[in-house]
C-alpha cells in the first residue's frame, strides 16, 4: 500500500545510456535461464509453458483489490477501513499517472511489443479499463453503502448540503464568504477565454450559466482549492464536502447570471518524468525543468459525477482530448483520498490499539537513563532491527546523531532516497559537516514524486558543507546505506547500517523493514568500496558480503537457487523463501520454476505485483505465493536459502523487477551469523503458517483470502513486547 506512498512502477525496458565504471548492466531482453543443471527427467522445457508469466499491470490491480477488500472488512476498526479506502484511491491515481500513461505512450509510439505475459499493450490497456471500472464502482459503493452508514452509527456523519440544518448552512455561508470566496477564480470559456488548463488530480466544478438577457449559455470552470480540508468540519463530528459549499454559492461567483448546472470532475494526467540525462550538463537543472513539464502531461483518465449533463460531458471530453472509454462516471463525492482526514479523527476507539515501537534489546538502557552507546553495542553484537516493532528513533536515528556528535568520528557516508520533511537524519548530517567531519551524501533526486523534496535537501546539505552526489547517470541509487568511520584506540573502524527501507522516521512507524547495524570488518570494507564506486571512479566490482545491482544481484540470487537444486538432488535440506514487494523479473522467475521442477519447496511472500504462476502441474507445483496486507506496509526484502543444512539469508533494497536489477544501484547484504538468519526465518515461518491470515495466489492468477486466527503484525507486536519485558 502507499502509505509510499504505496507503492510506484516503471516500464520493464533496459536503459540504453552508459553506466558508471564498476557497475555493469545485466540485460533482461531474454528470459532463458542457462544453468549448469537440467530439469528432472520427464520435466517439460520452460518454453512449453508460454503463459507462465502473469501480467504485471493486472497483478498490480489485484494488489489494489486486496487493499479494497480491507476497506470492506467489517472486522477491522472502522477508521482503519476508511484509511484503506483512501489508500486505494491514492494507489489507483498513481497507477494511472505512471503505468496507464506508459502504456498509452507505447501505443502512440507504435511500440507493439508483447509483454512477457504474451499480451500486447493495447490488450493490456483494454483489460485495465475493464478491471478498473469495476474496482472504482465497487470503491464508490463501499463508501456510500458501507462506510457512511457505519460512521453515522458511531456519531461521525458525512453529509451533503441538503442534509444541513439552518445553523450549519449559516456556518458554511460565513466560511465561504470569509475564507473560500477570496481564493476562488472562476474561468469562463468563450472566444476570448480558451478552455483553461486543468491540473492533474485537482477537483473541479464544471458550471453552466446563462445570460438572462441574451439567453446565451456559457461554460466555466471553478477549481476546488486544495488548501482547505476536503471535508468541511461542522462540529459534532459532522462534515460536508467542500465542493458542496462552493456549489451552493456559485451565484456569488457569477453575479447577474443564471446558474443552470454544476458538476464536479477530475482529470488524471501522465506525471512520469523523462530526463535525458546523457544530454544534460547539469542533472539537477534538467530535473527541475522536467518537474515544470509534469504539470502539463497529457490526460489519461476523466472522472465525473453520474449526474453530469451529457452536453457538459461532451464538452469536457472534447476539450481535454480524452476518449469516451477513458471517462469514468461515479456517484459523488469524487476524490476519496480526502477520507484520510476522517481517518485522522481522534477516535481511538475506532482505530487499531495504540502501539509505540520499543527499543531493540541490544540498544536498550539497562541501568542508567542515558542512551546506549550504539558503537559499543555494535562492537559487542550485530544488531538486526525489525521496524516498526523496533524503534527507528532509538536505533538508526540515534546511530547517526551519535556519529555527528562523537569527536572520534572522522567521516559519515550516507545514501538518501526518500526522507521526511523535518528529517532528523538531514539535521544530523548537517551537524556532522558543521563539526568538521567529512560527510558524503548520495541524494537520489530522481526518486519518483519526491524529486522536489530531494532537490531541496540536496541544496541544504551542500550549503552545510556536505559533499553531495546526485546519483549516477543512467541509474537510480536506491540502496539504503550508512557508513561511519571512527578513530579508535586499536585503529580506524567502520560501522555500517544496511537496510531494506528509507531513512524516513515517519514511514518507519508504518513500514515493515529490516536493518543491520554492524561493525563487521568485511561488510564495512565492501560498503566502503561501494561508496567509492558511487562518488568517484573506482572500478572495484567484487564484494565478499554484498550483492550489488546492476552487477551481481540477479546472477547472485540465481546462483543460490541453483545451489538449492543441487542440495535437493543430493538429499540435503533445500528450500527457497523470498519476501519482496514485487516479483516480476522473468529470468529469476524461470530459475524458481526450474527449482520447482527439481522438487525444491519455494515460498514467496509478495506484497504487490507477482508474475509467478504457482501450482501449475509440471512447472510450479512446489511454489506457494502469499500476500500479507494490514496494519503495516510489508516493505522488507528477504532472501533465505536452506543451504544444505547451513541456512543463509540476505536482506536489502532490491525487489525482483527489471528496474531494480538493471537500472538501479541496489544492495543485498548476507546476514553474518546464524542467529540473525534464524531471526528472519522466524518471521517467515509465521508468515507462511497456515493459521496466519493472508491471501494466496492460484494458478488461475486469482488471489484468495484465507481467514487464519492470527495476524502477522499483531503477533509480531506481542512478541516484541514480550522480548522487551
Amino acid at each position: 500500500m502507499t502509505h509510499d506512498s504505496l507503492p510506484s512502477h516503471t516500464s520493464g525496458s533496459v536503459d540504453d545510456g552508459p553506466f558508471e565504471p564498476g557497475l555493469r548492466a545485466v540485460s533482461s531482453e531474454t528470459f532463458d535461464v542457462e544453468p549448469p543443471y537440467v530439469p528432472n527427467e520427464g520435466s517439460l522445457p520452460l518454453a512449453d509453458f508460454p503463459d507462465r508469466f502473469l501480467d504485471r499491470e493486472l497483478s498490480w490491480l489485484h494488489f489494489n483489490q486486496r487493499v479494497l477488500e480491507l476497506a470492506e472488512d467489517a472486522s477491522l476498526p472502522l477508521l482503519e477501513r476508511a484509511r484503506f479506502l483512501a489508500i486505494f484511491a491514492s494507489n489507483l491515481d498513481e497507477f494511472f499517472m505512471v503505468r496507464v500513461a506508459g502504456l498509452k505512450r507505447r501505443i502512440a509510439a507504435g511500440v507493439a511489443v508483447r509483454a512477457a505475459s504474451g499480451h500486447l499493450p493495447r490488450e493490456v490497456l483494454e483489460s485495465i479499463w475493464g478491471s478498473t471500472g469495476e474496482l472504482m464502482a465497487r470503491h464508490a459503493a463501499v463508501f456510500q453503502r458501507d462506510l457512511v452508514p457505519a460512521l453515522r452509527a458511531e456519531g461521525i456523519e458525512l453529509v451533503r448540503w441538503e442534509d444541513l440544518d439552518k445553523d450549519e448552512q449559516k456556518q458554511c455561508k460565513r466560511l465561504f464568504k470569509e475564507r473560500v470566496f477570496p481564493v476562488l477564480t472562476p474561468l469562463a470559456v468563450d472566444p476570448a477565454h480558451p478552455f483553461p488548463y486543468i491540473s492533474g488530480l485537482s477537483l473541479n466544478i464544471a458550471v453552466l450559466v446563462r445570460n438572462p438577457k441574451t439567453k446565451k449559455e456559457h461554460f466555466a470552470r471553478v477549481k476546488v482549492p486544495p488548501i482547505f480540508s476536503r471535508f468541511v468540519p461542522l462540529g459534532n463530528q459532522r462534515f460536508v464536502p467542500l465542493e458542496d459549499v462552493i456549489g451552493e454559492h456559485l451565484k456569488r461567483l457569477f453575479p447577474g447570471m443564471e446558474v443552470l448546472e454544476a458538476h464536479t470532475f477530475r482529470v488524471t494526467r501522465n506525471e512520469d518524468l523523462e530526463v535525458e540525462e546523457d544530454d544534460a550538463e547539469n542533472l539537477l537543472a534538467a530535473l527541475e525543468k522536467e518537474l515544470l513539464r509534469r504539470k502539463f502531461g497529457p490526460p489519461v483518465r476523466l472522472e465525473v459525477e453520474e449526474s453530469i449533463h451529457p452536453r457538459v460531458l461532451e464538452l469536457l471530453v472534447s476539450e481535454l482530448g480524452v476518449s469516451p472509454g477513458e471517462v469514468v462516471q461515479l456517484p459523488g463525492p469524487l476524490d476519496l483520498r480526502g477520507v484520510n482526514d476522517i481517518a485522522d479523527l481522534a477516535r481511538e476507539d475506532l482505530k487499531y490499539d495504540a502501539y509505540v515501537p520499543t527499543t531493540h534489546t541490544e540498544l536498550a538502557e539497562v541501568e542508567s537513563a542515558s542512551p546506549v552507546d550504539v558503537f559499543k553495542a555494535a562492537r559487542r553484537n550485530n544488531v538486526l532491527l525489525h521496524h516498526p516493532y523496533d524503534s527507528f528513533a532509538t536505533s538508526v536515528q540515534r546511530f547517526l546523531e551519535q556519529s555527528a556528535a562523537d569527536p572520534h568520528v572522522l567521516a559519515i557516508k550516507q545514501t538518501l532516497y526518500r526522507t521526511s520533511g523535518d528529517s532528523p537524519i538531514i539535521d544530523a548530517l548537517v551537524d556532522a559537516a558543521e563539526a568538521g567531519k567529512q560527510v558524503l551524501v548520495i541524494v537520489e533526486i530522481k526518486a519518483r514524486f519526491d524529486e522536489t523534496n530531494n532537490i531541496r535537501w540536496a541544496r541544504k546539505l551542500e550549503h552545510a558543507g556536505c559533499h553531495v552526489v546526485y546519483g549516477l547517470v543512467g541509474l537510480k541509487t536506491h540502496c539504503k546505506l550508512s557508513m561511519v568511520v571512527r578513530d579508535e584506540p586499536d585503529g580506524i573502524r567502520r560501522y555500517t547500517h544496511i537496510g531494506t527501507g528509507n531513512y524516513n522516521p515517519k514511514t518507519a512507524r508504518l513500514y515493515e523493514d529490516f536493518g543491520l547495524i554492524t561493525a563487521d570488518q568485511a561488510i564495512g570494507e565492501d560498503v566502503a568500496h561501494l561508496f567509492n564506486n558511487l562518488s568517484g571512479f573506482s572500478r572495484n566490482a567484487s564484494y565478499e558480503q554484498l550483492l550489488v545491482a546492476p552487477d551481481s544481484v540477479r546472477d547472485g540470487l540465481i546462483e543460490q537457487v541453483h545451489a538449492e537444486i543441487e542440495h535437493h538432488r543430493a538429499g540435503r535440506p533445500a528450500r527457497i523463501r523470498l519476501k519482496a514487494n514485487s516479483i516480476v523479473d522473468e529470468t529469476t522467475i524461470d530459475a524458481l520454476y526450474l527449482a520447482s521442477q527439481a522438487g525444491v519447496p519455494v515460498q514467496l511472500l509478495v506484497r504487490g505485483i507477482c508474475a509467478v504462476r504457482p501450482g501449475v502441474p509440471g512447472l510450479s507445483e512446489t511454489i506457494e505465493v502469499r500476500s500479507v496486507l494490514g496494519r503495516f506496509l510489508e516493505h522488507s526484502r528477504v532472501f533465505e536459502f536452506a543451504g544444505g543444512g547451513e541456512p543463509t539469508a540476505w536482506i536489502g533494497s532490491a525487489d525482483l523487477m527489471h528496474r531494480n536489477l538493471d537500472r538501479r544501484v541496489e544492495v543485498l547484504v548476507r546476514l553474518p551469523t546464524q542467529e540473525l538468519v534464524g531471526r528472519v526465518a522466524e518471521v517467515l515461518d509465521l508468515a507462511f503458517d497456515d493459521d496466519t491470515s493472508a491471501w494466496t495466489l492460484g494458478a488461475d492468477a486469482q488471489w484468495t483470502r484465507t481467514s487464519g486466527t492470527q495476524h502477522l503484525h499483531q503477533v509480531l507486536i506481542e512478541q516484541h513486547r514480550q522480548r522487551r519485558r
Side-chain angles (χ1 to χ4, degrees), residues 392-410:
F392 182 88
T394 59
S395 55
V396 180
Q397 183 178 321
R398 180 177 291 172
F399 171 53
L400 288 167
E401 289 173 342
Q402 288 187 354
S403 300
D406 190 332
H408 300 292
V409 169
L410 305 178

Side-chain angles (χ1 to χ4, degrees), residues 14-15 42 51 57 141 188 218-219 258 277 305 317 358 379 387 418 446 449 454 507 535 620 623 647 656 703:
V14 179
D15 285 342
D51 60 347
E57 317 299 356
H218 301 274
F219 174 86
E258 298 174 352
E277 301 175 48
E305 285 190 294
V317 169
T358 58
R379 288 197 300 272
H387 309 299
R418 302 185 197 274
K446 301 185 295 298
F449 302 129
N454 286 6
T507 58
S535 65
S620 54
I623 297 180
L656 297 183
W703 290 85

Side-chain angles (χ1 to χ4, degrees), residues 47-272:
D48 285 359
F49 300 91
D51 60 347
R52 65 189 184 276
F53 302 119
L54 302 180
D55 186 82
R56 59 159 293 162
E57 317 299 356
L58 301 182
S59 180
W60 186 94
L61 289 177
H62 283 130
F63 152 68
N64 212 27
Q65 179 178 322
R66 299 197 291 280
V67 176
L68 184 57
E69 288 178 23
L70 291 174
E72 296 169 331
D73 188 346
S75 70
L76 296 183
L78 185 56
L79 290 184
E80 304 298 347
R81 293 175 61 194
R83 181 87 66 196
F84 286 122
L85 199 78
I87 290 170
F88 171 91
S90 179
N91 284 353
L92 199 60
D93 285 346
E94 185 174 329
F95 179 74
F96 272 93
M97 288 190 294
V98 178
R99 300 306 308 174
V100 173
L103 284 169
K104 285 192 65 178
R105 196 164 55 236
R106 257 176 275 169
I107 292 169
V111 182
V113 178
R114 291 188 183 275
S117 61
H119 301 309
L120 290 168
R122 190 174 299 280
E123 295 169 343
V124 175
L125 195 57
E126 289 173 357
S127 296
I128 285 173
W129 277 112
S131 297
T132 55
E134 294 174 6
L135 288 175
M136 284 185 277
R138 181 171 158 187
H139 178 247
V142 172
F143 176 77
Q144 297 285 358
R145 185 190 63 235
D146 297 345
L147 200 66
V148 170
L151 288 169
R152 186 186 305 119
E154 295 291 346
I156 302 171
E157 296 185 84
L158 305 182
V159 298
R160 304 309 296 260
W161 180 267
E162 56 270 18
D163 302 316
L164 304 185
D165 60 32
K166 289 185 178 180
D167 289 339
E168 289 171 333
Q169 289 183 0
K170 288 180 180 178
Q171 177 185 344
C172 289
K173 183 176 181 179
R174 186 166 55 251
L175 171 71
F176 180 84
K177 179 181 178 181
E178 296 175 358
R179 295 185 57 79
V180 180
F181 179 72
V183 177
L184 298 178
T185 304
L187 297 175
V189 177
D190 60 26
H193 301 85
F195 192 87
Y197 176 77
I198 310 297
S199 54
L201 301 188
S202 63
L203 190 62
N204 305 272
I205 303 176
V207 185
L208 201 61
V209 297
R210 180 169 60 197
N211 187 319
K213 293 182 179 180
T214 66
K215 303 301 181 181
K216 188 173 182 180
E217 296 180 357
H218 301 274
F219 174 86
R221 171 259 194 163
V222 178
K223 181 176 180 178
V224 178
I227 58 173
F228 299 114
S229 296
R230 176 72 181 81
F231 291 94
V232 177
L234 303 169
N236 297 320
Q237 295 187 337
R238 277 169 63 87
F239 302 85
V240 63
L242 179 57
E243 64 268 27
D244 281 20
V245 177
I246 297 172
E248 188 62 27
H249 296 87
L250 286 174
K251 291 181 180 179
R252 291 285 307 275
L253 289 171
F254 304 96
M257 302 290 282
E258 298 174 352
V259 177
L260 303 178
E261 296 181 27
H263 310 280
T264 56
F265 70 97
R266 186 169 178 262
V267 177
T268 311
R269 294 185 177 276
N270 177 353
E271 297 204 16
D272 204 11

Side-chain angles (χ1 to χ4, degrees), residues 292-311:
L292 293 175
R293 293 180 187 168
R294 169 184 275 175
K295 299 179 180 179
F296 302 97
V300 294
R301 178 181 58 165
L302 171 62
E303 296 170 90
V304 299
E305 285 190 294
E306 288 176 338
S307 59
I308 193 168
H309 194 283
R311 57 181 170 173

